[in-house]
């Protein structure tokens, strides 16, 4: 585990600071530590990232048997610390990208300066906000079909949402599950036409138009169904499913960096194609705070490695 003293006596100046301790940030830490850059990771609100709220993980390469998401992230952090990463538990509330070195403001009131910064703050799935959704989270309610879909093999599931993610999740699940019901609050999808065409071709996908989930139904075994309210004045109805996949969008955790680096219209950090370079030289970004397409632990880890190599090269250039 981390040295609690790091919280008490942090350095005021760092060579490189990594913000976020999910798969991207920890991998960036491992690589920068092994490159002798003495990185400091500031862990933020959810050390371990989104993997800490998943249970069984079967798609992270290197593990023949099912592993647990929280366990994987603990291992990753221990691995990082074993190669010299220091982890500090605080929240970055501001980044001044105009000063050199960069200046980070922390929730504790402290300031840290850094020659280079890697942003790896991740993203969070949006939820519907129902009490019953919370109650069955991890027991039939999920926000990631690629993570959890396999556990519903041959069963009936529902996907909530009408965008590209919802359609992608429905198509993915249709190859695994007995049936998929897409529940959408309007009478037309937001997803691209080509995705819709694929969706409508699938025999085992049906759509509940103009419906919102009013309640997740279940018992000790987990989810058993959904009560759907109508958005067009029709009566409520219930459907029988064992899984509900919420796919109503993700929010990147980038609010603290607005104005410091360029964000796109959805708040994701903009990076130069094929690199982790942000709009500000010396600030790099990796993982779900920059990637809205792949959003996997393994791709976040890969981008963390890229950011470390980009930062290492950039720091080397500054000294030459
Ligand atoms: P999105 O495009 O914002 O779609 C969110 C969907 O969820 C919308 O259909 C929305 O309904 C619905 N929704 C939002 N809040 C809801 C609520 N409280 N209750 C019920 N439904 C709700 O999000 P996304 O699908 O995650 O996509 C995000 C971005 O990533 C998009 O730019 C998308 O194109 C991109 N993306 C691209 C790919 C790809 O290119 N392969 C794959 C996935 C995502 P309304 O339609 O009524 O607003």
């Amino acid at each position: 585990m981390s040295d609690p003293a790091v919280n008490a006596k942090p350095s005021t100046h760092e060579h490189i600071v990594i913000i976020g301790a999910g798969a991207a940030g920890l991998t960036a830490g491992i690589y920068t530590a092994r490159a002798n850059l003495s990185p400091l990771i500031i862990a933020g609100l959810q050390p371990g990232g989104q993997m800490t709220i998943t249970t069984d993980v079967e798609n992270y390469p290197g593990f023949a048997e099912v592993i647990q998401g929280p366990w994987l992230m603990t291992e990753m952090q221990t691995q990082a610390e074993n190669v010299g990463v220091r982890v500090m538990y605080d929240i970055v509330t501001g980044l001044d990208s105009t000063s050199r070195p960069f200046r980070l403001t922390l929730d504790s009131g402290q300031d840290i300066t850094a020659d280079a910064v890697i942003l790896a703050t991740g993203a969070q799935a949006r939820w519907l906000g129902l009490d019953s959704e919370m109650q069955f989270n991890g027991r039939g309610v999920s926000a990631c079909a690629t993570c959890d879909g396999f556990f519903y093999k041959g069963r009936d599931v529902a996907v909530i949402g009408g965008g590209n993610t919802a359609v992608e999740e429905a198509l993915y699940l249709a190859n695994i599950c007995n049936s998929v019901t897409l529940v959408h609050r309007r009478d037309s999808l937001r997803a691209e036409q080509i995705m819709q065409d694929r969706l409508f071709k699938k025999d085992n996908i049906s759509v509940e138009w103009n419906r919102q989930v009013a309640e997740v139904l279940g018992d000790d075994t987990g989810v058993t169904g959904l009560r759907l309210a109508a958005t067009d004045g029709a009566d409520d109805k219930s459907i029988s499913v064992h899984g509900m996949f919420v796919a109503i969008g993700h929010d990147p955790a980038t609010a603290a960096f607005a104005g410091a680096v360029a964000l796109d219209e959805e708040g994701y950090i903009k990076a130069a194609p094929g690199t982790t370079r942000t709009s500000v030289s010396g600030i790099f970004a990796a993982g779900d705070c920059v990637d809205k397409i792949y959003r996997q632990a393994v791709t976040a880890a890969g981008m963390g490695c890229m950011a470390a190599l980009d930062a290492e090269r950039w720091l080397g250039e500054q000294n030459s």
Side-chain angles (χ1 to χ4, degrees), residues 128 162-165 168 184-186 190 212 248-249 266:
L128 296 168
N164 273 338
T165 303
E168 254 185 14
H184 184 41
R185 62 186 178 182
R186 293 187 296 118
R190 181 181 292 276
Q212 295 246 54
I248 61 171
E266 292 167 280

Side-chain angles (χ1 to χ4, degrees), residues 162-173:
N164 273 338
T165 303
V167 171
E168 254 185 14
E169 303 260 277
L171 289 167
Y172 179 84
L173 291 164

Side-chain angles (χ1 to χ4, degrees), residues 101-185:
F102 302 114
R103 182 168 292 277
L104 301 156
T105 311
L106 308 188
D107 192 45
S108 59
Q110 189 190 335
D111 277 2
I112 290 183
T113 55
D115 298 323
V117 175
I118 295 176
L119 307 175
T121 44
Q124 284 167 337
R126 279 185 214 138
W127 296 99
L128 296 168
L130 302 168
D131 289 345
S132 53
E133 173 190 50
M134 292 274 286
Q135 189 188 340
F136 290 103
N137 200 318
R139 296 196 301 129
V141 172
S142 167
C144 179
T146 5
C147 317
D148 299 328
F150 190 70
F151 306 116
Y152 299 89
K153 194 172 179 181
R155 310 200 88 175
D156 301 311
V157 299
V159 174
I160 318 303
N164 273 338
T165 303
V167 171
E168 254 185 14
E169 303 260 277
L171 289 167
Y172 179 84
L173 291 164
N175 290 329
I176 300 169
C177 302
N178 179 53
S179 77
V180 179
T181 306
L182 187 74
V183 179
H184 184 41
R185 62 186 178 182

Side-chain angles (χ1 to χ4, degrees), residues 5-52:
V6 170
N7 257 348
K9 288 188 227 162
S11 311
T12 52
H13 180 75
E14 297 287 340
H15 202 28
I16 182 160
V17 169
I18 298 161
I19 308 174
L26 291 170
T27 307
I30 291 165
Y31 274 79
T32 48
R34 295 188 78 257
N36 225 12
L37 296 177
S38 186
L40 173 71
I41 292 183
I42 303 177
L45 277 178
Q46 192 180 43
Q50 293 178 69
M51 290 291 278
T52 58

